[in-house]
C-alpha cells in the first residue's frame, strides 16, 4: 500500500505526489493523455521518455485528502493509496477499486486434476494489482493478437511472449506478442490504458467480476498511461502518438507473398516463380525459410542449395520477384563461425552464473544475442546490411520470443545493455522488439530505403520497426474465423501492417479453406501464403483448375486495390489509424457493430464480409447505419441493415460506401513504378485524397510526394493536384459503372452519366 498523501508539488507539466511509502509522478502529455509512474522509471516502448513540456500547465489543487489535476476536458482525482478517478466533462468514466501489493497465494490441492491429466494453472505471485471499475455496457478491445473474439470482456490473458505450436483456441492466455494496451468503449466515451511494464502480467478483463478489470504484474515499477479522446479513433491515434507509428511501407510489400517451410533450393524457387507466371498469378515476394542457410547459421547461405546467391537474387528481380530471408536470434555454437566468435568475445550474449548461456534451437546448441545492447544492435544491423548486399529485399525475424528447445530460458539469465544487467524475466517480452529495432536500423542505415522487417514476437511500439503476423496458425476453419478479430485488435493496438499465414501454417488445407483464406488475404495488410513442412502444399496448382482460377481472381483483386491500401497506409503513418479496421472504429454510433467478428472495414469506404464457414455459398451481411452501400462488383444498391448476400466460392463480398471514390490499378501493373491509375466513382457526391510517391525511400518525409484531390458533385468530376516533385501518372482514368474515360487535364471538369 502507498499510504496517505503527504504532499505534492509541480514542475512544468508534471505533478509529484508524495505518499507515505513512495512518490508518484503524473505527467500531463496532452488533453486526455496522462502518464502515472514511479520516479526513475524508463521505458523500452516509448522513445521520448518523459514528455516534459513548458506549454502545458495543468490546474492542480488539493481537495480534502485528494489531489485534483485538471487539463482540458479531463480531471484526474488521486486519493490515498493511489486510488485514481478520471472525469471527462465532469462525468466519471474510470475509477480504481484498489491498488495493492499481493505476495500471497491461496493453496489449492490440484492433485486430482493432475491425476486425470488436466493442465493445472499455477497461480502467479504479483508485485501489485490494479483493479479498475467498468460499466455494464463497456466493450474491451485491443491487447494485440490474443485469441478469441473482438470484444475481450469476460476473458483473461497473460503478457508473456509464447511459442506454442498447438492449435490456438479461445482459452489460450498468451501468444507471441505482448501489447499491454486495451480500450474501454461505449457510445458515450472511449479511453485506453497502456501499462508499460515488460514483466509477465495478467489482464483479467472482467472475467471474475463483470464490473472490474484487474491487471497484475509479477515485478517492475508502476508505469501506465491513461489515453482518452473524443472518440475511438482518437484513442488509437493518441496511443500511437505515445508508442510510435509505422513508416510508409515499400510499395512492393503490399503485393502477394509466397512462402513455405521450406523452398530449400534455388531450382525449387525458380520453378515456383515460373509457375506463378505460367498460371498468370501476380507474385511480388518469395520468403526463404531456414533451409537456405548453411547449417542454420544465421547470415549464411548454403552454397550447394543456393549457389551464386547474389546472381540468383538478381535473376529473381529480373522476373519481378523479391526475396525475403528468415533470420532467427539463436547463433550456433561453432568456434569456426565468425558471428558466434564476435558476439561471445565482445560479451554481447546472454549469460548465467558468469558463463555464456547456451540453449538449443534450429542450429543445435546456440547462444542468445543481447539485443538490448546498442553495440550488439549495431553489429547485427551491419549483418542485415550484408544480406541487402546479396540482393535480399526484406528480413523476416522468427523464433524471437525467444523460443528454445531445451526448456524456457531461466528467469535469472542475464542480458547486458552495455551499462547494467537485466534479467530474462524483464527482457523476455521485449526481446523480439529489440531484434526488430536492430534489423530496422541496420537496413535503413545501409541504404536509406524503407526497411521491410517482419517479426513474430514483439512488444508495444514495435510497429515503428516491423510488420507482424499472427504466428503458427493451423489450416482449420476456426483459425480463418479468428484471423479477422485478431488483425482488427492488432490494428487497434497500433499495428497497422499485419497479417496471418494464408491457408494456415500447420495441418492440411482443403481446397475450399485455401480459397476462402485467399479471399481474406486479399484484403489483409500483409498477404502471405505460408505452410509448414509435412503439410499439404498450398500453392494453388496443387489443387485443381478451379482453385487456380479463383486464387488468381483473389490475388488480382488485391493488386487492383493496392493504390487504395497505399493511401490507407499514408493515413496510418500520420495518424496511427489502421487500414484493416474493426467496423466499430468507423461506426461507433451503431451498436450493431460493437461485436462484429466476421466483417471488417477497409479504410472508411469499403466493407468486406468474408465467408469463413465451410460449405457456405451466401453470407448474412450487416451494413452499418447512416449511409447507403453499393456492391463493389455490380453497383447494386443496399440500404443499411442485414442482408443475405450470394457468395459463391469465387466471390468475396465487398460493399462500397455511398459517395466513395476508390483508386485502382488497371489490370496488373508493376508495383515498382505504376504508370496509370483509375479512380472509380460510386453513386453519391464525395471527395477523396490520393497519395503518390516513389514507393521506395524516405524522400516523402522531405515532402517529395503528390496529393490528388478528386471531387464528385452532381456527376461532375474534378481533380486538383498538389505537386511536390514526384513524377505524375502517365494516364488517369475515371470509371463509373462500365464507362471508363481518360481524364486528360488536371483542374478541369469531366462529366459522367
Amino acid at each position: 500500500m502507498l499510504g496517505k498523501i503527504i504532499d505534492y508539488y509541480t514542475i512544468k507539466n508534471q505533478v509529484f505526489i508524495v505518499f507515505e511509502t513512495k512518490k508518484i509522478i503524473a505527467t500531463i502529455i496532452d488533453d486526455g493523455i496522462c502518464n502515472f509512474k514511479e520516479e526513475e522509471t524508463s521505458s523500452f516502448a516509448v522513445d521520448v521518455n518523459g514528455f516534459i513540456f513548458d506549454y502545458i500547465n495543468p490546474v492542480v489543487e488539493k481537495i480534502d485528502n485528494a489531489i485534483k489535476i485538471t487539463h482540458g476536458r479531463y480531471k484526474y482525482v488521486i486519493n490515498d493509496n493511489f486510488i485514481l478517478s478520471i472525469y471527462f466533462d465532469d462525468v466519471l468514466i474510470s475509477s480504481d477499486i484498489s491498488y495493492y501489493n499481493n505476495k500471497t497465494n491461496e493453496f489449492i490441492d490440484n492433485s486430482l486434476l493432475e491425476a486425470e491429466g488436466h493442465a493445472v494453472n499455477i497461480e502467479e505471485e504479483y508485485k501489485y494489482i490494479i483493479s479498475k471499475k467498468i460499466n455494464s455496457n463497456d466493450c474491451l478491445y485491443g491487447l494485440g493478437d490474443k485469441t478469441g473474439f473482438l470484444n475481450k470482456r469476460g476473458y483473461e490473458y497473460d503478457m508473456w511472449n509464447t511459442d506454442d505450436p498447438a492449435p490456438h483456441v479461445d482459452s489460450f492466455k498468451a501468444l507471441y506478442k505482448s501489447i499491454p494496451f486495451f480500450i474501454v468503449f461505449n457510445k458515450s466515451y472511449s479511453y485506453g490504458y497502456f501499462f508499460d511494464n515488460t514483466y509477465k502480467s495478467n489482464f483479467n478483463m472482467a472475467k471474475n467480476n463483470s464490473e472490474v478489470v484487474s491487471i497484475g504484474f509479477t515485478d517492475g515499477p508502476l508505469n501506465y498511461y491513461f489515453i482518452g479522446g473524443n472518440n475511438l479513433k482518437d484513442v488509437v491515434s493518441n496511443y500511437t502518438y505515445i508508442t510510435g507509428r509505422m513508416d510508409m511501407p515499400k510499395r512492393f510489400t503490399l503485393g502477394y507473398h509466397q512462402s513455405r517451410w521450406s523452398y530449400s533450393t534455388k531450382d525449387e524457387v525458380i520453378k515456383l516463380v515460373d509457375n506463378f507466371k505460367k498460371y498468370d498469378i501476380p507474385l511480388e515476394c518469395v520468403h526463404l525459410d531456414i533451409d537456405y542457410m548453411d547449417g542454420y547459421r544465421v547470415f549464411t547461405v548454403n552454397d550447394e542449395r543456393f549457389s551464386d546467391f547474389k546472381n540468383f537474387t538478381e535473376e529473381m528481380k529480373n522476373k519481378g520477384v523479391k526475396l525475403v530471408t528468415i533470420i532467427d536470434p539463436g547463433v550456433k555454437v561453432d568456434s569456426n563461425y565468425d558471428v558466434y566468435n564476435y558476439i561471445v568475445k565482445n560479451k554481447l550474449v546472454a549469460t548465467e552464473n558468469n558463463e555464456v548461456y547456451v540453449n538449443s534451437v534450429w542450429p543445435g546448441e546456440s547462444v542468445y544475442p543481447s539485443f538490448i545492447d546498442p553495440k550488439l544492435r549495431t553489429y547485427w544491423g551491419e549483418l542485415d546490411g550484408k544480406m541487402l548486399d546479396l540482393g535480399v529485399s526484406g528480413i523476416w525475424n522468427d523464433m524471437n520470443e525467444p523460443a528454445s528447445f531445451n526448456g524456457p530460458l531461466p528467469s535469472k539469465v542475464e542480458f547486458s545493455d552495455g551499462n547494467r544487467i537485466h534479467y530474462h524475466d524483464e527482457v523476455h517480452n521485449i526481446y523480439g522488439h529489440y531484434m526488430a529495432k536492430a534489423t530496422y536500423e541496420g537496413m535503413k542505415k545501409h541504404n536509406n530505403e524503407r526497411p521491410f522487417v517482419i517479426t513474430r514476437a514483439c512488444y508495444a511500439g514495435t510497429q515503428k520497426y516491423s510488420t507482424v503476423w499472427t504466428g503458427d496458425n493451423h489450416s482449420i476453419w476456426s483459425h480463418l474465423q479468428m484471423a479477422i478479430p485478431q488483425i482488427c485488435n492488432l490494428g487497434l493496438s497500433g499495428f497497422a501492417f499485419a497479417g496471418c499465414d494464408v491457408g494456415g501454417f500447420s495441418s492440411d488445407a482443403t481446397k475450399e479453406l485455401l480459397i476462402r483464406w485467399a479471399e481474406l488475404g486479399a484484403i489483409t495488410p500483409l498477404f502471405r501464403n505460408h505452410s509448414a513442412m509435412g503439410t499439404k502444399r498450398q500453392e494453388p496448382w496443387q489443387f485443381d483448375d478451379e482453385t487456380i482460377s479463383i486464387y488468381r481472381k483473389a490475388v488480382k483483386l488485391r493488386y487492383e486495390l493496392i493504390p487504395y491500401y497505399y493511401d490507407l497506409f499514408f493515413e496510418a503513418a500520420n495518424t496511427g489509424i489502421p487500414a484493416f479496421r474493426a467496423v466499430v472504429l468507423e461506426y461507433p454510433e451503431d451498436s450493431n457493430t460493437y461485436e462484429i467478428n466476421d466483417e471488417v472495414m477497409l479504410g472508411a469506404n469499403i466493407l468486406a464480409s468474408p465467408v469463413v464457414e465451410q460449405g457456405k455459398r451466401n453470407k448474412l451481411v450487416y451494413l452499418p447505419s447512416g449511409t447507403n452501400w453499393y456492391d463493389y462488383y455490380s453497383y447494386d444498391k443496399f440500404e443499411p441493415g442485414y442482408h443475405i448476400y450470394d457468395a459463391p466460392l469465387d466471390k468475396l463480398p465487398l460493399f462500397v460506401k455511398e459517395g466513395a471514390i476508390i483508386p485502382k490499378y488497371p489490370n496488373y501493373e508493376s508495383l515498382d513504378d505504376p504508370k496509370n491509375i483509375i479512380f472509380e466513382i460510386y453513386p453519391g457526391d464525395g471527395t477523396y485524397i490520393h497519395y503518390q510517391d516513389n514507393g521506395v525511400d524516405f524522400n516523402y518525409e522531405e515532402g517529395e510526394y503528390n496529393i490528388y484531390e478528386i471531387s464528385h458533385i452532381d456527376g461532375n468530376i474534378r481533380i486538383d493536384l498538389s505537386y511536390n516533385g514526384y513524377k505524375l501518372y502517365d494516364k488517369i482514368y475515371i470509371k463509373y459503372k462500365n464507362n471508363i474515360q481518360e481524364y486528360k487535364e488536371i483542374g478541369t471538369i469531366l462529366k459522367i452519366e
Side-chain angles (χ1 to χ4, degrees):
M1 306 289 282
L2 275 69
K4 294 182 179 181
I5 296 174
I6 303 300
D7 195 8
Y8 80 94
Y9 57 94
T10 62
I11 300 175
K12 297 181 180 179
N13 59 318
Q14 293 190 304
V15 182
F16 296 77
I17 304 158
V18 183
F19 293 89
E20 289 179 294
T21 61
K22 67 176 60 176
K23 187 184 297 182
I24 298 294
I25 305 171
T27 304
I28 305 298
I29 297 170
D30 206 340
D31 191 11
I33 308 177
C34 187
N35 176 222
F36 301 95
K37 68 177 184 179
E38 299 176 27
E39 281 192 297
E40 305 302 324
T41 300
S42 59
S43 172
F44 295 105
V46 181
D47 287 342
V48 184
N49 288 321
F51 292 99
I52 310 303
F53 303 130
D54 290 325
Y55 59 88
I56 292 179
N57 296 300
V59 176
V60 185
E61 52 191 322
K62 188 168 185 179
I63 300 176
D64 297 326
N65 293 322
I67 304 298
K68 183 172 77 170
I69 306 169
T70 303
H71 184 264
R73 302 172 71 180
Y74 288 87
K75 293 183 178 66
Y76 308 91
V77 179
I78 301 160
N79 286 278
D80 292 343
N81 290 316
F82 190 48
I83 302 300
L84 172 67
S85 299
I86 301 175
Y87 296 80
F88 178 63
D89 288 340
D90 294 320
V91 175
L92 179 66
I93 62 171
S94 177
S95 59
D96 287 0
I97 303 298
S98 60
Y99 167 89
Y100 61 91
N101 295 341
N102 174 35
K103 275 290 185 182
T104 61
N105 292 314
E106 180 182 0
F107 177 75
I108 300 173
D109 185 358
N110 292 312
S111 59
L112 292 178
L113 283 170
E114 291 178 311
E116 197 182 356
H118 293 281
V120 175
N121 293 325
I122 300 173
E123 293 292 322
E124 296 282 355
E125 287 192 359
Y126 297 114
K127 180 180 179 182
Y128 60 87
I129 299 173
I130 298 174
S131 296
K132 294 183 177 292
K133 190 177 187 306
I134 59 172
N135 292 321
S136 59
N137 58 347
D138 288 344
C139 294
L140 304 176
Y141 305 131
L143 298 179
D145 63 343
K146 301 302 187 189
T147 59
F149 299 103
L150 183 71
N151 185 0
K152 298 306 182 186
R153 185 172 188 142
Y155 295 89
E156 180 185 13
Y157 302 96
D158 290 333
M159 295 298 162
W160 188 250
N161 292 354
T162 302
D163 173 22
D164 188 338
H168 306 151
V169 295
D170 295 1
S171 60
F172 270 46
K173 292 185 178 181
L175 286 177
Y176 309 93
K177 303 168 184 63
S178 293
I179 317 297
F181 167 71
F182 68 88
I183 299 170
V184 181
F185 165 82
N186 71 32
K187 195 175 291 189
S188 300
Y189 52 76
S190 302
Y191 63 87
Y193 279 106
F194 168 41
F195 292 87
D196 193 4
N197 182 316
T198 68
Y199 288 86
K200 186 175 183 180
S201 56
N202 176 266
F203 283 66
N204 187 313
M205 310 301 282
K207 171 187 168 184
N208 302 104
N209 183 328
S210 64
E211 295 186 347
V212 178
V213 171
S214 293
I215 307 96
F217 296 90
T218 57
D219 208 334
L222 174 74
N223 183 18
Y224 73 86
Y225 294 78
F226 170 83
I227 302 174
N230 296 325
N231 52 51
L232 195 53
K233 283 186 177 180
D234 280 354
V235 176
V236 175
S237 189
N238 286 339
Y239 168 71
T240 56
Y241 168 66
I242 297 295
T243 59
R245 296 167 184 155
M246 62 174 290
D247 297 323
M248 283 297 295
K250 280 188 174 177
R251 189 164 39 238
F252 84 81
T253 63
L254 303 188
Y256 176 75
H257 302 237
Q258 182 66 40
S259 183
R260 184 168 172 83
W261 175 30
S262 288
Y263 297 125
S264 55
T265 69
K266 75 175 184 180
D267 289 340
E268 188 177 6
V269 175
I270 291 169
K271 183 177 179 181
L272 174 82
V273 170
D274 289 345
N275 271 333
F276 272 95
K277 184 169 184 176
K278 172 184 174 182
Y279 294 112
D280 188 29
I281 302 173
L283 173 66
E284 218 63 33
C285 285
V286 173
H287 291 226
L288 299 182
D289 212 313
I290 56 177
D291 294 302
Y292 82 91
M293 290 183 269
D294 178 16
Y296 308 129
R297 296 169 180 84
V298 290
F299 303 110
T300 68
V301 175
N302 187 306
D303 288 334
E304 292 183 7
R305 294 181 176 187
F306 289 90
S307 60
D308 203 358
F309 189 70
K310 185 172 184 178
N311 282 340
F312 170 60
T313 61
E314 289 305 311
E315 179 184 351
M316 289 297 98
K317 288 179 181 178
N318 291 335
K319 292 175 179 283
V321 174
K322 282 83 171 172
L323 295 182
V324 173
T325 50
I326 197 169
I327 298 289
D328 294 336
V331 174
K332 183 176 179 63
V333 175
D334 179 355
S335 60
N336 295 316
Y337 177 29
D338 289 347
V339 177
Y340 169 76
N341 289 331
Y342 183 89
I343 63 177
V344 170
K345 177 182 177 181
N346 289 280
K347 299 181 179 180
L348 301 175
V349 295
T351 59
E352 185 181 31
N353 298 324
N354 297 317
E355 299 288 337
V356 173
Y357 176 76
V358 177
N359 203 310
S360 181
V361 280
W362 300 120
E365 288 194 336
S366 303
V367 297
Y368 289 78
S370 183
F371 288 105
I372 61 172
D373 190 325
K375 294 190 293 296
L376 183 281
R377 293 201 301 273
T378 298
Y379 173 67
W380 199 266
E382 290 170 352
L383 296 175
D384 286 312
K386 291 180 180 179
M387 297 302 293
L388 297 181
D389 286 338
L390 290 175
V392 168
S393 297
I395 299 293
W396 163 22
N397 289 339
D398 197 11
M399 304 292 287
N400 54 351
E401 290 70 34
S404 52
F405 294 168
N406 289 340
L409 277 65
S411 64
K412 297 305 180 184
V413 163
E414 298 175 337
F415 294 86
S416 172
D417 64 8
N419 294 309
R420 71 180 184 90
I421 295 298
H422 302 257
Y423 290 122
H424 173 244
D425 52 6
E426 179 187 17
V427 172
H428 180 89
N429 283 339
I430 55 169
Y431 194 77
H433 174 85
Y434 275 96
M435 184 182 184
K437 181 176 183 178
T439 306
Y440 171 91
E441 291 178 341
M443 293 175 70
K444 183 177 180 180
K445 181 179 179 181
H446 190 76
N447 60 15
N448 200 37
E449 293 183 0
R450 308 171 199 174
F452 178 54
V453 183
I454 175 173
T455 187
R456 188 169 75 176
C458 67
Y459 183 69
T462 309
Q463 67 268 11
K464 299 186 291 288
Y465 312 122
S466 182
T467 309
V468 296
W469 91 106
T470 58
D472 294 349
N473 58 6
H474 280 243
S475 299
I476 52 179
W477 286 91
S478 60
H479 278 192
L480 171 62
Q481 294 157 10
M482 190 168 66
I484 297 173
Q486 272 188 310
I487 300 172
C488 283
N489 269 321
L490 276 167
L492 290 168
S493 306
F495 289 84
F497 200 171
C500 60
D501 284 343
V502 166
F505 176 72
S506 297
S507 307
D508 298 316
T510 64
K511 166 185 172 176
E512 184 179 2
L513 177 60
L514 178 66
I515 287 172
R516 290 305 194 189
W517 215 317
E519 290 171 348
L520 172 62
I523 57 170
T524 57
L526 178 66
F527 186 9
R528 183 182 78 158
N529 179 322
H530 183 48
S531 57
M533 67 166 60
T535 66
K536 186 173 182 177
R537 298 184 74 99
Q538 289 179 178
E539 302 85 6
W541 53 84
Q542 305 291 346
F543 294 83
D544 57 20
D545 289 344
E546 183 182 35
T547 305
I548 295 170
S549 176
I550 298 174
Y551 207 94
R552 178 192 304 119
K553 182 178 180 180
V555 176
K556 287 195 172 184
L557 171 65
R558 168 54 165 240
Y559 278 78
E560 183 175 276
L561 287 173
I562 282 176
Y564 178 64
Y565 250 112
Y566 201 63
D567 287 341
L568 295 178
F569 277 118
F570 181 63
E571 182 179 357
N574 285 281
T575 68
I577 305 301
F580 194 91
R581 301 176 185 174
V583 182
V584 64
L585 195 60
E586 285 296 327
Y587 292 93
E589 299 300 318
D590 185 342
S591 60
N592 290 316
T593 69
Y594 296 175
E595 302 216 37
I596 290 181
N597 292 283
D598 63 348
E599 295 183 1
V600 62
M601 291 298 300
L602 312 179
N605 292 325
I606 299 177
L607 182 143
S609 187
V611 177
V612 292
E613 295 181 72
Q614 180 173 312
K616 291 290 187 180
R617 297 297 181 267
N618 54 45
K619 182 72 187 289
L620 177 62
V621 175
Y622 180 73
L623 299 176
S625 60
T627 183
N628 290 316
W629 298 84
Y630 290 86
D631 187 293
Y632 179 85
Y633 311 99
S634 69
Y635 285 84
D636 289 345
K637 182 178 178 179
F638 290 82
E639 294 182 349
Y642 288 97
H643 303 270
I644 301 295
Y645 183 83
D646 287 337
L649 191 57
D650 68 339
K651 193 170 190 178
L652 167 65
L654 291 176
F655 302 88
V656 182
K657 186 177 177 180
E658 185 173 58
I661 299 169
I662 307 296
K664 299 180 178 181
Y665 288 146
N667 300 316
Y668 166 56
E669 290 201 35
S670 166
L671 298 186
D672 292 334
D673 185 23
K675 298 185 182 303
N676 304 312
I677 193 78
I678 295 173
F679 294 110
E680 185 158 5
I681 311 298
Y682 285 81
D685 293 347
T687 60
Y688 183 80
I689 300 296
H690 174 62
Y691 171 84
Q692 180 193 28
D693 69 13
N694 65 31
V696 175
D697 56 32
F698 288 90
N699 289 356
Y700 73 93
E701 292 184 343
E702 306 302 321
E704 187 183 295
Y705 59 85
N706 302 325
I707 294 291
Y708 300 77
E709 183 173 356
I710 306 96
S711 63
H712 171 220
I713 301 174
D714 294 331
N716 295 311
I717 305 297
R718 178 188 173 101
I719 301 178
D720 292 298
L721 171 68
S722 175
Y723 175 70
N724 292 300
Y726 185 65
K727 65 180 180 180
L728 304 177
Y729 293 111
D730 291 347
K731 292 185 178 181
I732 298 174
Y733 298 95
I734 302 297
K735 180 181 178 184
Y736 180 69
K737 296 186 177 180
N738 292 320
N739 181 23
I740 299 180
Q741 304 176 61
E742 184 177 353
Y743 186 89
K744 295 184 177 180
E745 187 176 350
I746 295 291
T748 61
I749 299 293
L750 178 66
K751 185 73 175 178
I752 61 171
E753 300 295 337

